[in-house]
Amino acid sequence: MPSQELAADHAHGFEPHRAELTGYCYRMLGSGFEAEDAVQETFVKALRTYDPARGQLRPWLFRLATNVCLDMLRGPQRRARAMDLAPAAVPGAELGVPLPESRWVQPVPDARVLDPADLVVTRETVRLAFVAALQLLPPRQRAVLVLRDVLRWSAAETAGLLGTSVAAVNSALQRARAALPATRETDTEVDEALLDRYVSAFERYDVAALVSLLRADAISSMPPFTWWLRGRESIHAVLSASGAPCAGSRLVRTRANGCPAFGQYLNGEAFALVVMEVEGGLIAEQTTYLDPGLFPFFGLPMSSEGLPRTDG
């Protein structure tokens, strides 16, 4: 966006709404990059069309953002996780052919979508599993569910935004709730000692120590491949037989989707972003995005040179 338009964002009071709008668009689209594009397009449209005499700014921005998202969702494919695309792999199975970025629910930095004053309420609604579940809903049902159940808009406010009736909104919400798959609850607070042990074990490639931090039913996936594993034993078998390809890695802490996350550096270069979900004090799921292009989005350097050493 040109500098004069960025200045206009502030002059028109758009900027305080950026994080909330980005979170809304992310839940709708399943991609942090696309969500930010949608918000920028929303602001451009608002600059051209918003008139204070026609109503309050926030509903106007959400109306525009909804229309932008619905336009972007006209394609036939939806974003998903590996578990939605293929059965669990057997240890020793080939990774297969990588799928394009457009097929995956992508991670998003907490700072871009979460309000620090409302973390406990909102972070469960940006978890990868929840966002992937939303992608199963038709786009307008998705919008209704997010507006009503996540953002707590009233049925009347939602109907006004979507240009429909309260009865239609209530019907869409009922159908969306019934169709939304259940997702497991994760720990709201994660033990820092667990994360320290994970970093130490990972950087030493200590398979026994790593596996000891997993739940028995833990899941491990590695986009852009549909290959994924379920269960501590399968993960242990693959890690033990892989020849330590990630030995000597460095991990740098960050946050994604309301969860702990790590930038992984291999041979000093950005390699993968690891998003971790914790349940009952153990790791329930880890998703390793083999996409160094995510590092700038998370404010992570592309090289580990100059980063502080850990004790791993």
Side-chain angles (χ1 to χ4, degrees), residues 15-23 26-27 32 36 107-117 119 122-123 126 254-259 261 296-299:
E15 198 61 29
H17 300 281
R18 181 181 293 275
E20 186 181 34
L21 283 167
T22 304
Y26 175 68
R27 296 176 183 97
E36 293 211 325
V108 69
D110 281 11
R112 295 180 185 257
V113 296
L114 294 180
D115 179 357
L119 279 180
T122 58
R123 61 185 166 192
V126 293
T254 185
R255 296 279 308 182
N257 297 80
C259 298
F297 192 46
F298 280 79

Side-chain angles (χ1 to χ4, degrees), residues 89-246:
V90 176
E94 297 292 330
L95 290 178
V97 178
L99 298 185
E101 182 276 339
S102 59
R103 292 302 313 277
W104 300 101
V105 169
Q106 292 287 306
V108 69
D110 281 11
R112 295 180 185 257
V113 296
L114 294 180
D115 179 357
D118 200 24
L119 279 180
V120 175
V121 174
T122 58
R123 61 185 166 192
E124 283 294 314
T125 69
V126 293
R127 284 181 50 231
L128 291 169
F130 182 78
V131 175
L134 287 174
Q135 309 311 301
L136 296 169
L137 302 176
R140 286 183 69 86
Q141 279 188 27
R142 197 181 311 171
V144 168
L145 187 136
V146 174
L147 289 167
R148 293 283 285 115
D149 284 358
V150 176
L151 300 179
R152 303 300 179 186
W153 286 45
S154 69
E157 290 170 330
T158 303
L161 182 146
L162 294 174
T164 188
S165 67
V166 169
V169 164
N170 288 335
S171 176
L173 180 61
Q174 185 177 18
R175 295 196 304 275
R177 286 172 174 169
L180 194 69
T183 57
R184 63 198 301 171
E185 292 187 8
T186 57
D187 295 356
T188 56
E189 298 296 334
V190 176
D191 182 5
E192 292 295 315
L194 172 71
L195 302 181
D196 290 341
R197 292 197 300 273
Y198 178 83
V199 170
S200 177
F202 193 102
E203 293 187 347
R204 291 182 288 110
Y205 205 78
D206 185 335
V207 172
L210 277 172
V211 171
S212 73
L213 303 176
L214 303 178
R215 284 176 54 93
D217 59 350
I219 289 173
S220 179
S221 61
M222 201 165 59
F225 300 99
T226 59
W227 177 97
W228 64 281
L229 298 169
R230 183 192 297 278
R232 185 189 294 149
E233 292 183 2
S234 292
I235 295 170
H236 183 277
V238 169
L239 292 177
S240 299
S242 62
C246 295

